[in-house]
Amino acid sequence: PPGAAVPPGELTVKGYAWSGGGREVVRVDVSLDGGRTWRVAQLRGERPAPGKAWAWRLWELQAAVA
């Protein structure tokens, strides 16, 4: 849930992104501190085939939590 506390250690955050408008997802930025800092997530899976740029992309971020 939003605002939930997590124990210290390694955290994996996953999701999916969809750019809309026929544009390919090329980057996903994630903030774990309310927007003060941002990290670039890794895009997972294959790039969409030509003409399928509207498709969603999985992403994943590994982060240390203090």
Side-chain angles (χ1 to χ4, degrees), residues 10-14 32 39 41-42 44 60-64:
E10 192 73 14
L11 175 70
T12 301
V13 183
K14 298 178 181 182
L32 302 175
R39 297 185 54 187
Q42 296 293 315
R44 299 291 182 211
E60 183 175 307
L61 175 71
Q62 299 282 341

Side-chain angles (χ1 to χ4, degrees), residues 41-61:
Q42 296 293 315
L43 295 175
R44 299 291 182 211
E46 296 180 26
R47 291 181 71 174
K52 301 287 186 183
W54 49 266
W56 49 271
R57 291 285 307 269
L58 295 172
W59 58 266
E60 183 175 307
L61 175 71

Side-chain angles (χ1 to χ4, degrees), residues 14-37:
K14 298 178 181 182
Y16 65 92
W18 183 10
S19 68
R23 295 186 191 101
E24 179 181 354
V25 175
V26 295
R27 178 177 162 151
V28 174
D29 296 321
V30 180
S31 176
L32 302 175
D33 58 10
R36 288 187 295 258
T37 61

